[in-house]
Amino acid sequence: MKKLLTLLACALFATTLWAQQALWGGVPVVSPEINSDNTVTFRLKAPKAVKVQVTGDFLPTQKIKTPFGEFDGLGYADLKEGKDGVWEYTTPEPLAPELYSYSFVVDGLKIMDPSNVYMSRDVSSVTNVFIIGGGRADLYKVNDVPHGTVSRIWYDSPTLGMKRRMTVYTPAGYETSGKRYPVFYLLHGMGGDEEAWMALGRTSQIMDNLIAQGKAEPMIVVMTNGNASQEAAPGETSDGFVAPNMNLPKTMEGSFETAFPDVVKFVDKTYRTKANKKGRAIAGLSMGGYHSLHISKQYPDMFNYVGLFSAGIMPNKDVKSPIYEDFDKKLDVQFSKKPALYWIGIGKTDFLYQANVEFRKQLDQKGYKYTYLETGGGHIWRNWRIYLTEFASKLFK
C-alpha cells in the first residue's frame, strides 16, 4: 500500500509539473535582458527559423522614402542561433537611458517578443517596450511619489453632433484638496487618439515625477481625440474593433479646431479649473502641433501657453475653412496679446523640419518672441517625450 501511494504521489507530481510547463510554456526564455552594463540581450526560441532579426528604435536608423519625403526608419540586427533553437543578439554598446520599442522579424514576418508582455500600440503598429533607467528616462518610470488619477470620460460635442471621449489626468491630491488647477490640453498626432500620449508619451508618469520634484506645477492634463469623425479610440466605440488607420476624415480641415471650445467648456464645467487664459496651455505633436497652432490663433484669449512639437504648419492648398483664413492677421492678434510662452521643438532630421524653419522665419521677421529647442533624430516619440518634459516644466509659473 505504501509503495502504491508513493507511485501515485510521483505520478501526480509529474502530471502537475507537466501541466505547469504546458501552461507557462516550459523553461522560460529571458528577453529582453538588461545587463549590468546597460547592454541588452534579445532572445527568441524559433528552432525552425532560417533568419531572425530584431528591429527597434535602439538601432541605427536607415533612410526611408515616402510620399512625404525621406525620413529615418528603424534599423535591423541579425540574431544568431544557439542551443535548443534559441536565437540571440546583444547590443554591441550600452544603451542610453530611454524608453525603447522593438519587434522580431522571423523569416520576413514581424512578430512580438513572446517573452515580453509589455507592448504599446502606435496607430496600427504594435511593439514591445522596455526602459533603460537613468537621467531623463527616470521620469518615464513609475517611482515612489504621489500619483495622479487617469480617467476616460465622455463629453458632448454639439458642434460635431456626437458624444466623444477624452483622457484626463488630475494631479495627486486633486480629489481632496478643494483647490482649482490650471489645465494643459495635450494633443496627439495623425492616426493617434486619446490613448496615445498615455501609452507612448508616458504622460502620467512624467507629470507625477515632475510635480513631485517641484519641477512642474500641479495641473490637469486633458488628452482629446483629434480625429473629429471619431467618438473615441479604435475598439472603444460603437463601431467595434475597427482597424486603426491614419487616413481618417475630418483631421486637418478645420472641424477639430472649430469644435475645440466644446472641450474647454466641458472641462471647465466638470473639473475645478482656473477657467481663464492664464490658467490654460495647449500643445501637441505633429498633427496635434498643427491643431495647437491654429486653435491658439483662432481663439487668442483662450491659451497663454502654446507648444508646437514637430508640428505641421499649414493645411494642404485644396483645404478651405474659415479656420485657416487670414493666417497672418490672426497671428498678429495672438502675439499682440503677449502669450506667456510660445514654444517650438523639432528634430534635425524631421520631415517637417523645413516647414518649421520657414515658420520661425516668419515669427522672427515680425519680432514675435518664442522659445526654440532642436534635438537629434526625427519624427519620433523619443523627441516628443523630451518636449513634454521641457514644456510642462515651464507652465503656469
Side-chain angles (χ1 to χ4, degrees), residues 341-387:
L341 177 65
Y342 202 93
W343 196 97
I344 301 172
I346 196 164
K348 294 179 181 178
T349 59
D350 196 300
F351 73 94
L352 291 171
Y353 183 84
Q354 189 56 40
N356 277 253
V357 167
E358 293 171 2
F359 181 57
R360 286 171 46 231
K361 284 182 180 178
Q362 181 178 355
L363 298 180
D364 290 338
Q365 289 170 357
K366 293 289 188 114
Y368 296 152
K369 183 180 178 181
Y370 62 92
T371 299
Y372 179 64
L373 176 64
E374 186 170 294
T375 54
H379 213 67
I380 52 176
W381 275 101
R382 186 182 307 181
N383 275 338
W384 302 326
R385 287 187 291 267
I386 292 172
Y387 303 161

Short mmCIF file of all heavy atoms in Angstrom, two decimals, residues 341-387:
data_model
loop_
_atom_site.label_atom_id
_atom_site.label_comp_id
_atom_site.label_asym_id
_atom_site.label_seq_id
_atom_site.Cartn_x
_atom_site.Cartn_y
_atom_site.Cartn_z
N LEU A 341 4.13 82.05 -23.16
CA LEU A 341 5.12 81.14 -23.74
C LEU A 341 4.62 80.62 -25.07
O LEU A 341 3.50 80.13 -25.18
CB LEU A 341 5.37 79.95 -22.79
CG LEU A 341 6.34 78.87 -23.29
CD1 LEU A 341 7.76 79.43 -23.43
CD2 LEU A 341 6.33 77.65 -22.36
N TYR A 342 5.46 80.76 -26.08
CA TYR A 342 5.22 80.15 -27.39
C TYR A 342 6.44 79.29 -27.66
O TYR A 342 7.55 79.80 -27.84
CB TYR A 342 5.04 81.22 -28.47
CG TYR A 342 4.29 80.76 -29.69
CD1 TYR A 342 2.91 80.92 -29.79
CD2 TYR A 342 4.95 80.15 -30.76
CE1 TYR A 342 2.21 80.51 -30.91
CE2 TYR A 342 4.26 79.72 -31.88
CZ TYR A 342 2.89 79.91 -31.96
OH TYR A 342 2.18 79.49 -33.07
N TRP A 343 6.27 77.98 -27.65
CA TRP A 343 7.40 77.03 -27.59
C TRP A 343 7.39 76.13 -28.81
O TRP A 343 6.36 75.55 -29.17
CB TRP A 343 7.26 76.20 -26.32
CG TRP A 343 8.48 75.44 -25.88
CD1 TRP A 343 9.39 75.83 -24.95
CD2 TRP A 343 8.87 74.13 -26.32
NE1 TRP A 343 10.35 74.85 -24.80
CE2 TRP A 343 10.05 73.80 -25.63
CE3 TRP A 343 8.34 73.22 -27.23
CZ2 TRP A 343 10.72 72.59 -25.82
CZ3 TRP A 343 9.00 72.01 -27.44
CH2 TRP A 343 10.18 71.71 -26.74
N ILE A 344 8.53 76.00 -29.47
CA ILE A 344 8.66 75.17 -30.67
C ILE A 344 9.81 74.19 -30.48
O ILE A 344 10.92 74.58 -30.11
CB ILE A 344 8.93 76.04 -31.92
CG1 ILE A 344 7.80 77.05 -32.12
CG2 ILE A 344 9.12 75.18 -33.16
CD1 ILE A 344 8.08 78.08 -33.22
N GLY A 345 9.56 72.92 -30.74
CA GLY A 345 10.60 71.90 -30.69
C GLY A 345 10.51 70.98 -31.89
O GLY A 345 9.42 70.63 -32.34
N ILE A 346 11.69 70.59 -32.43
CA ILE A 346 11.69 69.68 -33.58
C ILE A 346 13.06 69.01 -33.70
O ILE A 346 14.09 69.57 -33.27
CB ILE A 346 11.34 70.43 -34.89
CG1 ILE A 346 10.96 69.44 -36.00
CG2 ILE A 346 12.46 71.36 -35.32
CD1 ILE A 346 10.25 70.04 -37.17
N GLY A 347 13.07 67.81 -34.29
CA GLY A 347 14.32 67.08 -34.51
C GLY A 347 14.98 67.50 -35.81
O GLY A 347 14.31 67.88 -36.78
N LYS A 348 16.30 67.40 -35.85
CA LYS A 348 17.07 67.86 -37.01
C LYS A 348 16.74 67.12 -38.29
O LYS A 348 16.87 67.67 -39.39
CB LYS A 348 18.57 67.73 -36.72
CG LYS A 348 19.07 68.64 -35.62
CD LYS A 348 20.56 68.44 -35.37
CE LYS A 348 21.06 69.33 -34.25
NZ LYS A 348 22.50 69.12 -33.96
N THR A 349 16.33 65.86 -38.18
CA THR A 349 16.03 65.08 -39.39
C THR A 349 14.53 64.85 -39.56
O THR A 349 14.12 63.99 -40.34
CB THR A 349 16.76 63.72 -39.35
OG1 THR A 349 16.34 62.98 -38.18
CG2 THR A 349 18.26 63.90 -39.31
N ASP A 350 13.71 65.62 -38.87
CA ASP A 350 12.26 65.51 -39.00
C ASP A 350 11.83 65.96 -40.40
O ASP A 350 12.34 66.95 -40.92
CB ASP A 350 11.58 66.38 -37.94
CG ASP A 350 10.12 66.03 -37.75
OD1 ASP A 350 9.34 66.13 -38.73
OD2 ASP A 350 9.74 65.67 -36.62
N PHE A 351 10.88 65.23 -41.01
CA PHE A 351 10.44 65.62 -42.35
C PHE A 351 9.69 66.94 -42.36
O PHE A 351 9.49 67.55 -43.42
CB PHE A 351 9.60 64.50 -42.98
CG PHE A 351 8.21 64.34 -42.43
CD1 PHE A 351 7.13 64.97 -43.02
CD2 PHE A 351 7.98 63.56 -41.30
CE1 PHE A 351 5.85 64.82 -42.52
CE2 PHE A 351 6.70 63.40 -40.80
CZ PHE A 351 5.63 64.03 -41.40
N LEU A 352 9.29 67.43 -41.17
CA LEU A 352 8.64 68.73 -41.07
C LEU A 352 9.62 69.84 -40.67
O LEU A 352 9.20 70.97 -40.39
CB LEU A 352 7.50 68.66 -40.05
CG LEU A 352 6.29 67.82 -40.46
CD1 LEU A 352 5.33 67.65 -39.29
CD2 LEU A 352 5.56 68.46 -41.64
N TYR A 353 10.89 69.52 -40.68
CA TYR A 353 11.90 70.48 -40.21
C TYR A 353 11.87 71.77 -41.03
O TYR A 353 11.85 72.87 -40.47
CB TYR A 353 13.30 69.84 -40.29
CG TYR A 353 14.40 70.73 -39.76
CD1 TYR A 353 14.70 70.77 -38.41
CD2 TYR A 353 15.16 71.52 -40.63
CE1 TYR A 353 15.72 71.59 -37.92
CE2 TYR A 353 16.17 72.33 -40.16
CZ TYR A 353 16.45 72.36 -38.80
OH TYR A 353 17.46 73.17 -38.33
N GLN A 354 11.86 71.66 -42.36
CA GLN A 354 11.92 72.86 -43.20
C GLN A 354 10.68 73.72 -43.03
O GLN A 354 10.77 74.96 -43.02
CB GLN A 354 12.09 72.47 -44.68
CG GLN A 354 12.38 73.65 -45.59
CD GLN A 354 13.61 74.44 -45.18
OE1 GLN A 354 14.63 73.88 -44.78
NE2 GLN A 354 13.52 75.77 -45.28
N ALA A 355 9.52 73.10 -42.88
CA ALA A 355 8.30 73.88 -42.65
C ALA A 355 8.40 74.67 -41.36
O ALA A 355 7.93 75.82 -41.28
CB ALA A 355 7.09 72.94 -42.60
N ASN A 356 9.04 74.09 -40.35
CA ASN A 356 9.23 74.80 -39.09
C ASN A 356 10.27 75.90 -39.21
O ASN A 356 10.15 76.95 -38.56
CB ASN A 356 9.61 73.81 -37.98
CG ASN A 356 8.42 73.13 -37.36
OD1 ASN A 356 8.03 73.41 -36.24
ND2 ASN A 356 7.82 72.20 -38.10
N VAL A 357 11.29 75.68 -40.02
CA VAL A 357 12.28 76.74 -40.28
C VAL A 357 11.59 77.95 -40.90
O VAL A 357 11.81 79.10 -40.49
CB VAL A 357 13.40 76.23 -41.21
CG1 VAL A 357 14.25 77.39 -41.74
CG2 VAL A 357 14.29 75.22 -40.48
N GLU A 358 10.74 77.71 -41.89
CA GLU A 358 10.06 78.81 -42.56
C GLU A 358 9.09 79.52 -41.62
O GLU A 358 8.96 80.76 -41.67
CB GLU A 358 9.32 78.26 -43.79
CG GLU A 358 10.27 77.75 -44.87
CD GLU A 358 9.55 77.00 -45.98
OE1 GLU A 358 8.31 76.91 -45.93
OE2 GLU A 358 10.24 76.48 -46.88
N PHE A 359 8.42 78.77 -40.76
CA PHE A 359 7.50 79.39 -39.81
C PHE A 359 8.27 80.25 -38.81
O PHE A 359 7.85 81.37 -38.47
CB PHE A 359 6.69 78.32 -39.09
CG PHE A 359 5.70 78.87 -38.09
CD1 PHE A 359 4.73 79.78 -38.47
CD2 PHE A 359 5.76 78.49 -36.76
CE1 PHE A 359 3.82 80.29 -37.55
CE2 PHE A 359 4.85 78.99 -35.83
CZ PHE A 359 3.88 79.90 -36.23
N ARG A 360 9.40 79.76 -38.35
CA ARG A 360 10.22 80.55 -37.41
C ARG A 360 10.75 81.82 -38.07
O ARG A 360 10.84 82.87 -37.42
CB ARG A 360 11.36 79.70 -36.89
CG ARG A 360 10.90 78.63 -35.87
CD ARG A 360 12.01 77.65 -35.51
NE ARG A 360 13.25 78.32 -35.23
CZ ARG A 360 14.43 78.00 -35.78
NH1 ARG A 360 14.52 77.01 -36.65
NH2 ARG A 360 15.51 78.67 -35.47
N LYS A 361 11.06 81.74 -39.35
CA LYS A 361 11.49 82.95 -40.06
C LYS A 361 10.39 83.99 -40.07
O LYS A 361 10.63 85.19 -39.89
CB LYS A 361 11.89 82.60 -41.50
CG LYS A 361 13.23 81.91 -41.64
CD LYS A 361 13.55 81.64 -43.11
CE LYS A 361 14.89 80.95 -43.26
NZ LYS A 361 15.19 80.64 -44.70
N GLN A 362 9.17 83.53 -40.26
CA GLN A 362 8.02 84.43 -40.24
C GLN A 362 7.88 85.08 -38.86
O GLN A 362 7.64 86.29 -38.75
CB GLN A 362 6.75 83.67 -40.61
CG GLN A 362 5.49 84.53 -40.64
CD GLN A 362 4.25 83.75 -41.06
OE1 GLN A 362 4.35 82.58 -41.42
NE2 GLN A 362 3.10 84.40 -41.03
N LEU A 363 8.02 84.29 -37.81
CA LEU A 363 7.94 84.84 -36.46
C LEU A 363 9.07 85.83 -36.20
O LEU A 363 8.86 86.88 -35.59
CB LEU A 363 7.98 83.70 -35.43
CG LEU A 363 6.85 82.68 -35.46
CD1 LEU A 363 7.06 81.63 -34.38
CD2 LEU A 363 5.49 83.36 -35.28
N ASP A 364 10.27 85.47 -36.68
CA ASP A 364 11.43 86.35 -36.48
C ASP A 364 11.24 87.69 -37.20
O ASP A 364 11.58 88.75 -36.65
CB ASP A 364 12.70 85.67 -37.00
CG ASP A 364 13.13 84.49 -36.13
OD1 ASP A 364 12.74 84.44 -34.95
OD2 ASP A 364 13.86 83.61 -36.64
N GLN A 365 10.72 87.63 -38.42
CA GLN A 365 10.52 88.86 -39.18
C GLN A 365 9.54 89.80 -38.50
O GLN A 365 9.65 91.03 -38.61
CB GLN A 365 10.02 88.52 -40.59
CG GLN A 365 11.09 87.86 -41.47
CD GLN A 365 10.53 87.31 -42.77
OE1 GLN A 365 9.31 87.36 -43.01
NE2 GLN A 365 11.40 86.78 -43.63
N LYS A 366 8.58 89.23 -37.80
CA LYS A 366 7.60 90.04 -37.07
C LYS A 366 8.07 90.42 -35.67
O LYS A 366 7.41 91.20 -34.98
CB LYS A 366 6.27 89.27 -36.96
CG LYS A 366 5.57 89.05 -38.28
CD LYS A 366 4.99 90.35 -38.82
CE LYS A 366 4.14 90.07 -40.05
NZ LYS A 366 2.74 90.35 -39.84
N GLY A 367 9.19 89.84 -35.25
CA GLY A 367 9.70 90.12 -33.91
C GLY A 367 8.91 89.43 -32.81
O GLY A 367 8.94 89.87 -31.65
N TYR A 368 8.23 88.34 -33.16
CA TYR A 368 7.45 87.62 -32.16
C TYR A 368 8.37 86.72 -31.33
O TYR A 368 9.17 85.96 -31.87
CB TYR A 368 6.38 86.76 -32.83
CG TYR A 368 5.34 87.55 -33.60
CD1 TYR A 368 4.69 86.99 -34.68
CD2 TYR A 368 5.02 88.85 -33.24
CE1 TYR A 368 3.72 87.69 -35.39
CE2 TYR A 368 4.05 89.57 -33.95
CZ TYR A 368 3.41 88.98 -35.02
OH TYR A 368 2.47 89.69 -35.72
N LYS A 369 8.20 86.79 -30.04
CA LYS A 369 9.06 86.04 -29.13
C LYS A 369 8.59 84.59 -29.00
O LYS A 369 7.41 84.33 -28.83
CB LYS A 369 9.04 86.70 -27.74
CG LYS A 369 9.97 86.05 -26.73
CD LYS A 369 9.89 86.76 -25.39
CE LYS A 369 10.79 86.08 -24.36
NZ LYS A 369 10.70 86.76 -23.03
N TYR A 370 9.55 83.67 -29.10
CA TYR A 370 9.24 82.26 -28.90
C TYR A 370 10.49 81.56 -28.35
O TYR A 370 11.61 82.08 -28.43
CB TYR A 370 8.80 81.59 -30.21
CG TYR A 370 9.85 81.59 -31.30
CD1 TYR A 370 10.73 80.53 -31.45
CD2 TYR A 370 9.95 82.66 -32.20
CE1 TYR A 370 11.69 80.52 -32.45
CE2 TYR A 370 10.90 82.66 -33.20
CZ TYR A 370 11.77 81.59 -33.32
OH TYR A 370 12.72 81.59 -34.32
N THR A 371 10.28 80.37 -27.80
CA THR A 371 11.37 79.54 -27.29
C THR A 371 11.54 78.36 -28.23
O THR A 371 10.55 77.75 -28.65
CB THR A 371 11.06 79.03 -25.87
OG1 THR A 371 10.91 80.15 -25.01
CG2 THR A 371 12.16 78.12 -25.35
N TYR A 372 12.79 78.04 -28.57
CA TYR A 372 13.04 77.01 -29.58
C TYR A 372 13.99 75.95 -29.03
O TYR A 372 15.00 76.27 -28.40
CB TYR A 372 13.63 77.63 -30.83
CG TYR A 372 13.97 76.64 -31.93
CD1 TYR A 372 12.96 75.89 -32.54
CD2 TYR A 372 15.28 76.44 -32.36
CE1 TYR A 372 13.25 74.99 -33.55
CE2 TYR A 372 15.58 75.55 -33.36
CZ TYR A 372 14.56 74.82 -33.96
OH TYR A 372 14.85 73.92 -34.95
N LEU A 373 13.66 74.67 -29.28
CA LEU A 373 14.53 73.56 -28.92
C LEU A 373 14.68 72.64 -30.12
O LEU A 373 13.69 72.16 -30.68
CB LEU A 373 13.94 72.76 -27.74
CG LEU A 373 14.71 71.50 -27.34
CD1 LEU A 373 16.10 71.86 -26.84
CD2 LEU A 373 13.95 70.71 -26.29
N GLU A 374 15.92 72.41 -30.51
CA GLU A 374 16.21 71.50 -31.61
C GLU A 374 16.95 70.28 -31.06
O GLU A 374 17.93 70.41 -30.34
CB GLU A 374 17.07 72.21 -32.67
CG GLU A 374 17.30 71.39 -33.92
CD GLU A 374 17.95 72.22 -35.02
OE1 GLU A 374 17.28 73.16 -35.51
OE2 GLU A 374 19.12 71.96 -35.37
N THR A 375 16.44 69.11 -31.39
CA THR A 375 17.04 67.87 -30.90
C THR A 375 17.51 67.02 -32.07
O THR A 375 17.25 67.33 -33.23
CB THR A 375 16.00 67.07 -30.08
OG1 THR A 375 14.82 66.89 -30.89
CG2 THR A 375 15.63 67.80 -28.80
N GLY A 376 18.22 65.93 -31.76
CA GLY A 376 18.61 64.99 -32.79
C GLY A 376 17.42 64.12 -33.17
O GLY A 376 16.38 64.12 -32.52
N GLY A 377 17.59 63.35 -34.23
CA GLY A 377 16.53 62.43 -34.61
C GLY A 377 15.40 63.11 -35.35
O GLY A 377 15.43 64.31 -35.63
N GLY A 378 14.38 62.33 -35.66
CA GLY A 378 13.30 62.82 -36.50
C GLY A 378 11.95 62.85 -35.82
O GLY A 378 11.81 63.31 -34.69
N HIS A 379 10.95 62.31 -36.51
CA HIS A 379 9.54 62.38 -36.10
C HIS A 379 9.25 61.18 -35.19
O HIS A 379 8.60 60.21 -35.59
CB HIS A 379 8.69 62.33 -37.37
CG HIS A 379 7.42 63.11 -37.29
ND1 HIS A 379 7.37 64.48 -37.20
CD2 HIS A 379 6.12 62.70 -37.29
CE1 HIS A 379 6.12 64.89 -37.17
NE2 HIS A 379 5.33 63.82 -37.21
N ILE A 380 9.73 61.25 -33.95
CA ILE A 380 9.74 60.08 -33.08
C ILE A 380 9.28 60.42 -31.67
O ILE A 380 9.45 61.54 -31.20
CB ILE A 380 11.14 59.43 -33.02
CG1 ILE A 380 12.20 60.48 -32.65
CG2 ILE A 380 11.49 58.76 -34.34
CD1 ILE A 380 13.60 59.93 -32.47
N TRP A 381 8.71 59.40 -31.00
CA TRP A 381 8.23 59.59 -29.63
C TRP A 381 9.35 59.94 -28.67
O TRP A 381 9.12 60.60 -27.66
CB TRP A 381 7.49 58.33 -29.16
CG TRP A 381 6.07 58.33 -29.60
CD1 TRP A 381 5.52 57.66 -30.64
CD2 TRP A 381 5.01 59.08 -29.01
NE1 TRP A 381 4.17 57.94 -30.74
CE2 TRP A 381 3.82 58.80 -29.74
CE3 TRP A 381 4.93 59.96 -27.92
CZ2 TRP A 381 2.60 59.38 -29.43
CZ3 TRP A 381 3.70 60.53 -27.61
CH2 TRP A 381 2.56 60.23 -28.36
N ARG A 382 10.56 59.50 -28.93
CA ARG A 382 11.67 59.86 -28.05
C ARG A 382 11.79 61.38 -27.93
O ARG A 382 11.99 61.91 -26.84
CB ARG A 382 12.98 59.27 -28.59
CG ARG A 382 14.17 59.46 -27.66
CD ARG A 382 15.44 58.90 -28.28
NE ARG A 382 15.27 57.52 -28.72
CZ ARG A 382 16.25 56.80 -29.28
NH1 ARG A 382 17.44 57.33 -29.46
NH2 ARG A 382 16.02 55.56 -29.65
N ASN A 383 11.64 62.07 -29.04
CA ASN A 383 11.68 63.54 -29.01
C ASN A 383 10.46 64.12 -28.32
O ASN A 383 10.56 65.07 -27.54
CB ASN A 383 11.78 64.09 -30.44
CG ASN A 383 13.21 64.15 -30.94
OD1 ASN A 383 14.16 64.17 -30.16
ND2 ASN A 383 13.37 64.15 -32.24
N TRP A 384 9.29 63.56 -28.59
CA TRP A 384 8.07 64.16 -28.05
C TRP A 384 7.98 64.01 -26.53
O TRP A 384 7.43 64.88 -25.86
CB TRP A 384 6.86 63.55 -28.75
CG TRP A 384 6.94 63.78 -30.23
CD1 TRP A 384 7.47 64.88 -30.87
CD2 TRP A 384 6.51 62.90 -31.27
NE1 TRP A 384 7.39 64.74 -32.23
CE2 TRP A 384 6.82 63.53 -32.51
CE3 TRP A 384 5.90 61.65 -31.28
CZ2 TRP A 384 6.52 62.93 -33.73
CZ3 TRP A 384 5.61 61.06 -32.50
CH2 TRP A 384 5.92 61.70 -33.71
N ARG A 385 8.56 62.94 -25.98
CA ARG A 385 8.63 62.83 -24.52
C ARG A 385 9.56 63.90 -23.95
O ARG A 385 9.29 64.48 -22.88
CB ARG A 385 9.08 61.43 -24.12
CG ARG A 385 8.02 60.36 -24.31
CD ARG A 385 8.45 59.03 -23.74
NE ARG A 385 9.53 58.42 -24.49
CZ ARG A 385 9.37 57.56 -25.50
NH1 ARG A 385 8.16 57.20 -25.88
NH2 ARG A 385 10.41 57.04 -26.11
N ILE A 386 10.65 64.17 -24.64
CA ILE A 386 11.55 65.24 -24.21
C ILE A 386 10.82 66.57 -24.23
O ILE A 386 10.89 67.36 -23.28
CB ILE A 386 12.80 65.31 -25.13
CG1 ILE A 386 13.68 64.08 -24.93
CG2 ILE A 386 13.60 66.59 -24.87
CD1 ILE A 386 14.82 63.98 -25.94
N TYR A 387 10.11 66.84 -25.32
CA TYR A 387 9.41 68.12 -25.44
C TYR A 387 8.35 68.27 -24.35
O TYR A 387 8.16 69.37 -23.80
CB TYR A 387 8.76 68.24 -26.82
CG TYR A 387 9.72 68.12 -28.00
CD1 TYR A 387 9.26 67.82 -29.27
CD2 TYR A 387 11.10 68.28 -27.82
CE1 TYR A 387 10.13 67.71 -30.35
CE2 TYR A 387 11.98 68.16 -28.89
CZ TYR A 387 11.49 67.86 -30.15
OH TYR A 387 12.35 67.74 -31.21
#
